[in-house]
Amino acid sequence: MVHFVGAGPGAPDLITLRGAELVKRTDVVIYAGSLVNPALLGLVKEKCKIYNSAEMTLEQVLDVMKESEAQGLDLVRLHTGDPCLYGAVREQMDQLDKLNIPWDDTPGVSSFCGAAAALGAEYTLPGVSQTVIITRMAGRTPVPERESLERLASHGASMAIFLSAGMQEQVQAALLKGGAYTPDTPAAIVYKATWPEEKIVRCTVGNLARAGDAAGIWKTAIILVGGFLGQSYERSKLYDPGFTTEFRQGTDSPAQGG
Ligand code: SAH
């Protein structure tokens, strides 16, 4: 059987308990190159075979999966963060279905969550934004035109931009063209969130490219943008003494029947 497992953003103890258990028990691992912490490979059994998918094509990955299944072995396909974001998992799952090879999927902590933790940030601040846009800048891999960074930037929502640290000039220009962010809108570049070499650069949309360049960050980073990185927001209704919820009577409204 094939187990897709989210390795988490970097720190080896940010894999889930289920994911770690699967890694410990497996006979074969195919891990997603430099973005998976090598410390996780230290969990495997002595006889476990290890492959680095950075050097492989989809066909080669599938060949290893087919061979393992034919031998009745368990295989863990270890993806960075959560497999559901930029993991190219769907094409593997569909091929496994065609081959009648069973698989399951264990989620992981995505790097946009690791980056928020590093910054002590909340994407969904009341009065600021209730939406997180997860996207990337079009580069060698295209993005549908209707999802161009400039168009998405017109919402002014909280944004987590993956796979774009090498294109910071273009990111900055597209964010400003969108019309909802200003040069003063707060931004941050988080390099290798949760790894020992993590770097945090707080900046603004107007000086994002310069700040990233000065810090020498051009890969393995996520760019976060939006008022959620600023200082002003409203307090939550949920924990407001006046607000009545299913579990708590607030001071501003009569008791609910029921
Ligand atoms: N599935 C992964 C994303 C894989 S795409 C996830 O859920 O996080 C690879 C991109 O993810 C990188 O280019 C970078 O933008 C981001 N990334 C992955 N790990 C990161 C980390 N520890 N810190 C910052 N960005 C990271």
Side-chain angles (χ1 to χ4, degrees), residues 11-54:
D13 55 349
L14 284 178
I15 193 171
T16 64
L17 293 174
R18 187 193 296 179
E21 206 45 49
L22 288 166
V23 171
K24 281 183 202 159
R25 284 204 317 246
T26 197
D27 307 296
V28 183
V29 173
I30 308 178
Y31 73 100
S34 61
L35 291 179
V36 168
N37 195 322
L40 283 175
L41 302 175
L43 296 177
V44 302
K45 295 189 292 199
E46 205 180 318
K47 287 205 173 131
C48 178
K49 275 200 203 154
I50 300 178
Y51 297 86
N52 176 359
S53 66

Side-chain angles (χ1 to χ4, degrees), residues 129-194:
S129 178
Q130 292 290 289
T131 304
V132 188
I133 295 177
I134 290 171
T135 191
R136 58 169 298 165
M137 181 90 200
R140 286 211 298 149
T141 309
V143 170
E145 176 47 36
R146 63 181 182 278
E147 297 172 13
S148 70
L149 195 57
E150 178 181 337
R151 287 176 78 168
L152 296 180
S154 70
H155 295 279
S158 303
M159 221 188 245
I161 307 168
F162 285 69
L163 293 159
S164 308
M167 294 177 276
Q168 288 165 24
E169 293 276 0
Q170 295 97 308
V171 169
Q172 176 174 335
L175 290 172
L176 287 172
K177 270 200 202 149
Y181 304 122
T182 68
D184 291 337
T185 301
I189 306 169
V190 184
Y191 169 77
K192 292 198 107 176
T194 81

Side-chain angles (χ1 to χ4, degrees), residues 9-10 35 80-83 85-87 110-112 161-164 190-193 195 220-222:
L35 291 179
T80 58
D82 189 289
L85 290 173
Y86 308 110
S110 177
S111 57
F112 83 95
I161 307 168
F162 285 69
L163 293 159
S164 308
V190 184
Y191 169 77
K192 292 198 107 176
W195 291 70
T220 331
I222 190 157

Side-chain angles (χ1 to χ4, degrees), residues 209-221:
R210 201 149 34 94
D213 196 40
I217 300 175
W218 55 276
K219 65 171 196 171
T220 331

